[in-house]
């Protein structure tokens, strides 16, 4: 459907509401469903087992849930995708793509930095993935005939490094590309429009937006969605309908929240550059941060996340985390309130030293998820904490 993203956010996945006679998303808690006949039940079961949609009855809640399906329809519309498939967490979604792509026990090319747990899942050997870690300009050489998948993030967590998606897809050749789009949100970036095969979100973050839901979702083409649903059915990595309800309830305000937080982030990034306690600020909207000119083309704006390095290194970072008041010292991101955390000690702690170095994650780096509070209140809080660690 070709409507503006703000309209899609408000109306996506709600087409059946008038026919149902409802105004808010109904929560369907049935775990089993009465069948009109054995034949109908069998036909629907066969369709879903093959990765398709139910033919009439949902049969059983691990196979299909209408509340979840409506939110998936909305996410697909926002991402410009045929379909979206929801999971109980972002990591369940990552694992589902690895399974669906044949990357479990196979060869993967991955570009660092990645979300710490994605990095650890690939590096740990748990899924028997053979991983070639490549820089962006090394992807074409790293791809082999038997490579199942190329994995990357843009903007990357936690350094906000941007990648040119069309160049990455070209470098991957015939190998499908998975992009973790959590930081950008579909409001700012729709990777499938640039040839990416799967666009993945930890919906725990901005899509939920209020720090109270865990979920994951993958937007993709119809030909790839079937395998993702089969993985969900067979591994049981389902999203609870209550969570889907909250996610659908949060969606209309997603563009408003992203734009408000982004405006705050732009202002805070500019002020952080000037602060004597700070050596470097990582934010796609700053001069020099986006040499390829991706903000305004691939990405509709610089986003709501930033990171910065402190003159005083690790100890100064710990000091800032201890001193902030309005800003919460906590992992996660994309909430209405601002959160600050130390990647090397928390989100990227399980990444190898070598992996952190390759990804540009330093001991004195803090990552700030900017919320929608008044920006002067945020700056007062941050500046007071930074002043305390300025030598
Ligand atoms: C949080 C996060 C994940 C993992 O999502 P969960 O919902 O915590 O499982 C994956 N990728 C990125 C970029 C994240 O920030």
């Amino acid at each position: 459907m070709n409507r503006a993203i703000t309209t899609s956010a408000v109306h996506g996945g709600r087409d059946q509401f008038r026919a149902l006679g409802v105004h808010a998303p109904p929560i369907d808690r049935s775990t089993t469903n009465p069948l009109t006949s054995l034949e109908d039940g069998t036909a629907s079961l066969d369709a879903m087992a093959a990765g398709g949609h139910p033919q009439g009855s949902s049969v059983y809640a691990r196979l299909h849930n209408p509340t979840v399906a409506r939110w998936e329809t909305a996410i697909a519309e926002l991402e410009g995708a045929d379909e979206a498939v929801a999971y109980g967490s972002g990591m369940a979604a990552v694992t589902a793509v690895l399974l669906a792509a044949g990357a479990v026990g196979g060869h993967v090319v991955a570009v660092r930095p990645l979300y710490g747990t994605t990095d650890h899942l690939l590096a740990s050997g748990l899924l028997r993935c053979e991983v070639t870690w490549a820089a962006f300009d090394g992807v074409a050489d790293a791809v082999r005939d038997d490579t199942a998948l190329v994995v990357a993030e843009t903007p990357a967590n936690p350094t906000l490094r941007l990648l040119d998606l069309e160049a990455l897809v070209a470098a991957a050749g015939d190998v499908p590309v998975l992009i973790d789009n959590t930081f950008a949100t579909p409001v700012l970036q729709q990777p499938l429009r640039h040839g990416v095969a799967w666009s993945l979100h930890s919906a725990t973050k901005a899509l939920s937006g209020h720090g109270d839901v865990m979920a994951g979702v993958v937007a993709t083409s119809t030909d790839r969605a079937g395998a993702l649903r089969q993985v969900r059915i067979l591994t049981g990595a389902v999203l609870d309908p209550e969570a889907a309800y909250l996610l659908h309830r949060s969606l209309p305000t997603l563009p408003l929240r992203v734009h408000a937080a982004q405006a705050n982030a732009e202002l805070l990034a500019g002020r952080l550059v000037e602060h004597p306690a700070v050596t470097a600020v990582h934010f796609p909207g700053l001069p020099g941060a986006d040499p390829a000119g991706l903000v305004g083309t691939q990405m509709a704006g610089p986003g709501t996340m930033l990171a910065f390095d402190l003159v005083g290194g690790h100890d100064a970072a710990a000091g800032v985390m201890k001193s902030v008041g309005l800003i919460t010292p906590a992992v996660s991101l994309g909430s209405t309130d601002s959160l600050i955390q130390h990647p090397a000690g928390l989100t990227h702690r399980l990444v190898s030293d070598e992996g952190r170095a390759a990804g540009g994650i330093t001991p004195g780096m803090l990552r700030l998820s900017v919320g929608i509070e008044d920006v002067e209140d945020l700056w007062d809080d941050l500046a007071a904490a930074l002043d305390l660690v300025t030598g």
Side-chain angles (χ1 to χ4, degrees), residues 120-136:
H120 188 54
L121 179 68
L122 291 169
S124 67
L126 193 65
L127 298 184
R128 311 283 185 269
C129 295
E130 183 200 345
V131 184
T132 302
W133 300 100
F136 176 62

Side-chain angles (χ1 to χ4, degrees), residues 15-26:
D15 296 353
Q16 304 162 344
F17 283 15
R18 275 192 210 182
L20 290 169
V22 300
H23 185 66

Side-chain angles (χ1 to χ4, degrees), residues 167-317:
L168 180 69
V169 168
D174 293 337
V175 179
V177 175
L178 163 65
I179 289 295
D180 187 326
N181 201 32
T182 301
F183 269 36
T185 82
V187 176
L188 300 179
Q189 180 171 273
Q190 293 115 21
L192 269 63
R193 299 194 194 283
H194 304 284
V196 164
W198 299 274
S199 171
L200 180 146
H201 292 272
S202 168
T204 312
K205 314 294 168 52
L207 294 182
S208 139
H210 299 76
D212 54 5
V213 181
M214 289 219 79
V217 66
V218 183
T220 192
S221 55
T222 297
D223 61 332
R224 295 190 198 279
L228 288 176
R229 275 190 293 269
Q230 286 176 313
V231 169
R232 180 172 62 184
I233 290 171
L234 296 173
T235 64
V238 293
L239 180 64
D240 186 84
E242 298 277 352
Y245 166 82
L246 286 169
L247 288 160
H248 212 159
R249 190 186 202 274
S250 292
L251 204 52
T253 59
L254 177 70
L256 293 172
R257 287 184 278 112
V258 167
H259 287 131
Q262 176 173 264
N264 284 351
E266 288 184 287
L267 217 135
L268 293 177
R271 289 191 189 173
L272 281 167
V273 168
E274 304 294 327
H275 199 283
V278 175
T279 56
V281 181
H282 311 280
F283 181 65
L286 287 173
D290 174 29
L294 299 171
V295 177
T297 52
Q298 174 175 297
M299 235 183 132
T304 63
M305 299 294 298
L306 59 86
F308 53 96
D309 285 301
L310 293 163
V311 175
H314 176 279
D315 293 350

Side-chain angles (χ1 to χ4, degrees), residues 115 157 182-183 204-206 209 304-305 330-335 339 367 369:
Y115 176 67
N157 184 358
T182 301
F183 269 36
T204 312
K205 314 294 168 52
T304 63
M305 299 294 298
V331 299
S332 201
L333 59 113
S335 196
L339 307 172
R367 189 192 76 186
S369 169

